[in-house]
Amino acid sequence: MIKRKYFIYFCTIIIICCSFYIFFNTRGVQNNIMRATSLLNLSDGTILEGDHELIKSAASVIEQSSTINYSHKFLITSEIEQKLKLSEDEYFTYFMHPKEVRKVELDFVIDSLDNAGAVTLVALQGDKHADIRLSSDNEWHASLRIPYEKNATSKYHLTVSWDPEGDNNLLLLPIQKGVNYNGSYPALVRILISNTPININDNQIAQQNNIDNSLLNNTSYFPNPTWYDINDNLVTYKFANNRYIPNSKPYKLVLDPTPYDTKMDMIVVDDTGNVVSVTNSIEIRKNVKTKLSFKPEVVDEYVEDSSIRRFIILMNNSGTEQIADLMALVKKGKPFPTTFTNVIEF
């Protein structure tokens, strides 16, 4: 029970041969307004007293915890926090947001044992860009560059723009230098925000209880992505200028086969906060590799322009489906949750 509780906790916090040729379409144009990233100062935040409680908390649920020297989290006011009961002692946390309020306020806490550094923060509401600002600032920005202190815990009070009629997923992507965003690093934070109370019915739970147990030994829990070049060779990387650089151009993204069917969305976003493209409802068939190919001219442009970092977000179970997934785990004996949110860099 304890291990499962930690697994559910971890999934909700971090809450992870068909071929598709993905054409970058005009849906990304709506957010294609290039604005400079706002650079915050250490004085814009506060330095918290204490002895790295955030890192200790992360270390308590992650193997090889001695290697953890950085951790961050987002805190939304408990006044709008709601808990949906999964079992006698397990809950899913979401937030009930007033329909008339067009912003979400939160604290961004960064805990570091290393030297001082900075994180670029990008926010999305579903597959659309969301402006962000320091709460004490009146000007909205496409993204924020947020510094953190050496061997300390830093906290910033931020405000994200919010459309009450829009998607109920708040996505927060903190981008760090020197991190390999290869699809396995838990980069993206997904927070469920609703205008009304959430209720999950038996049909929703049954739809999520979709794992083919006969395939468990030959497939992956999640469709983990891997880059291949134009000749179908695995893309390798070198570490230079504090980032991972591909040794060959990544033209094809291959996803591991899973023991279940699902549909996922793909969002391409850059570190300036610009949503480049969106492709919805990509079908993933059980026991089959999914291959996503990109236009060569688009890849050429991305790889050659190293001034901007671009990321692919792959996610399924939008909205309340992620809750039904966990309820199938608790109530129906589902072997593991199948909600995923992967981030891989171009």
Side-chain angles (χ1 to χ4, degrees), residues 291-310:
K291 298 180 179 180
L292 309 174
S293 299
F294 296 82
K295 283 185 174 182
E297 60 268 27
V298 173
V299 174
D300 292 345
E301 176 188 350
Y302 284 6
V303 174
E304 292 167 6
D305 181 10
S306 60
S307 63
I308 298 177
R309 298 176 67 182
R310 297 171 178 86

Side-chain angles (χ1 to χ4, degrees), residues 125-142:
Q125 183 176 356
D127 58 21
K128 296 178 174 59
H129 167 77
D131 283 334
I132 189 170
R133 61 178 170 85
L134 197 67
S135 293
S136 59
D137 189 4
N138 292 322
E139 184 178 354
W140 292 102
H141 305 280

Side-chain angles (χ1 to χ4, degrees), residues 59 62-69:
I62 297 178
E63 294 182 0
Q64 298 178 328
S65 58
S66 61
T67 63
I68 298 176
N69 51 29

Side-chain angles (χ1 to χ4, degrees), residues 112-153:
S112 175
L113 295 174
D114 276 347
N115 295 329
V119 175
T120 298
L121 182 60
V122 171
L124 303 172
Q125 183 176 356
D127 58 21
K128 296 178 174 59
H129 167 77
D131 283 334
I132 189 170
R133 61 178 170 85
L134 197 67
S135 293
S136 59
D137 189 4
N138 292 322
E139 184 178 354
W140 292 102
H141 305 280
S143 61
L144 297 178
R145 185 71 175 158
I146 303 174
Y148 56 86
E149 187 61 278
K150 174 183 178 181
N151 193 28
T153 303

Side-chain angles (χ1 to χ4, degrees), residues 15 114 145 202 209 215 228 233 246 264 287 303 342:
I15 28 185
D114 276 347
R145 185 71 175 158
D202 291 340
N209 193 24
L215 300 175
Y228 288 82
N233 295 316
M264 72 174 188
N287 202 32
V303 174
N342 293 331

